[in-house]
Amino acid sequence: MTHAAETIRNIGILLSGRGSNLEAIARNIADGKIPNARIAIVISNKADAGGLETARKLGLAALAIPSKGKDREHHDREVVATLQQHNVDLVCLAGYMRLLSPWFVQQFPQRILNIHPSLLPAFPGLEAQEQAFAYGVKIAGCTVHFVDEELDHGAIIVQKTVPVLDADDEHKLALRILEQEHIAYSEAINLVLQGKFKIVGRRLSF
Ligand code: GRF
């Protein structure tokens, strides 16, 4: 007796920089840790993003859709059209340095994730690790959350903590947070793709 093949879900990754989270997700897919998923397309709003090079080396489809000088929704419409052409089911922001328009968010309800290098709601916005270090927190970390219309705001899916050590500086701390990001993002993708969650208010339960 044959079993119907499991549906493969298409992930679209948006980035603006070096792409280490993309690389970790790609590695985990290759290792079978994110079953029934593939990265269908990697899009950067910056043509010189290292993440595009990383994606191509991994054999992934990757392209730049430059945002410079474009109105936000105009750019978002180009990005969404490309995601749709690649039949993307789940959008993962991985160092994408652009706020999505409400229109973009509405195109993928509960299907856009972001990773942020702090324990939200502490330290949203830029340079979160530096903000946390300068504030003197003893516990830092990272958050994977659904994207809504507000910056670093949607319902939380996974958080990982990282102790701040006496010998730390903001760079050492950021590196240890990044190691946890690489674990947390794939965990969150699995949880969302399994679809066995519900959101009540801001609370996600499985
Ligand atoms: C990560 O620290 C992520 O949390 C933040 O941007 C950085 C992206 O790093 N949103 P990389 O490009 O995945 O290496």
Side-chain angles (χ1 to χ4, degrees):
M1 195 168 72
T2 55
H3 293 274
E6 290 273 358
T7 315
I8 304 288
R9 251 79 63 82
N10 288 324
I11 296 174
I13 296 199
L14 305 190
L15 52 73
S16 306
R18 76 193 148 182
S20 74
N21 277 286
L22 152 72
E23 200 172 353
I25 294 165
R27 197 180 330 109
N28 284 334
I29 290 175
D31 291 349
K33 292 181 186 160
I34 308 177
N36 304 318
R38 61 190 278 269
I39 296 174
I41 184 73
V42 176
I43 302 171
S44 172
N45 66 316
K46 297 195 170 163
D48 60 354
L52 284 177
E53 190 58 32
T54 303
R56 290 181 184 127
K57 280 189 186 141
L58 292 165
L60 301 169
L63 56 89
I65 302 180
S67 55
K68 202 166 178 194
K70 283 179 198 156
D71 156 74
R72 186 176 308 284
E73 196 168 313
H74 171 153
H75 179 253
D76 281 359
R77 283 184 186 274
E78 291 182 355
V79 173
V80 167
T82 304
L83 293 169
Q84 287 168 343
Q85 279 159 20
H86 289 82
N87 298 313
V88 163
D89 302 297
L90 183 69
V91 181
C92 293
L93 310 187
Y96 188 58
M97 304 303 282
R98 238 176 122 72
L99 194 60
L100 302 189
S101 62
W103 177 82
F104 189 144
V105 175
Q106 285 154 20
Q107 305 314 301
F108 292 91
Q110 288 182 8
R111 286 286 175 274
I112 310 176
L113 312 188
N114 181 43
I115 186 150
H116 184 73
S118 79
L119 294 173
L120 289 171
F123 312 118
L126 294 176
E127 294 172 354
Q129 308 95 324
E130 286 83 350
Q131 289 186 57
F133 186 79
Y135 198 90
V137 300
K138 299 295 185 193
I139 304 285
C142 62
T143 305
V144 185
H145 62 92
F146 283 110
V147 170
D148 65 10
E149 280 83 358
E150 291 177 51
L151 179 69
D152 299 331
H153 180 265
I156 291 171
I157 305 162
V158 170
Q159 288 189 307
K160 298 277 180 200
T161 58
V162 174
V164 182
L165 308 178
D166 287 343
D168 268 344
D169 57 28
E170 58 263 53
H171 303 294
K172 289 182 189 161
L173 177 62
L175 277 177
R176 293 209 317 289
I177 293 174
L178 192 62
E179 283 171 15
Q180 293 304 308
E181 292 185 38
H182 294 165
I183 299 166
Y185 217 153
S186 294
E187 247 180 65
I189 290 170
N190 269 324
L191 289 169
V192 171
L193 289 183
Q194 282 160 14
K196 294 179 192 148
F197 62 87
K198 61 175 182 189
I199 304 178
V200 180
R202 293 190 46 87
R203 296 192 60 81
L204 204 80
S205 54
F206 297 95

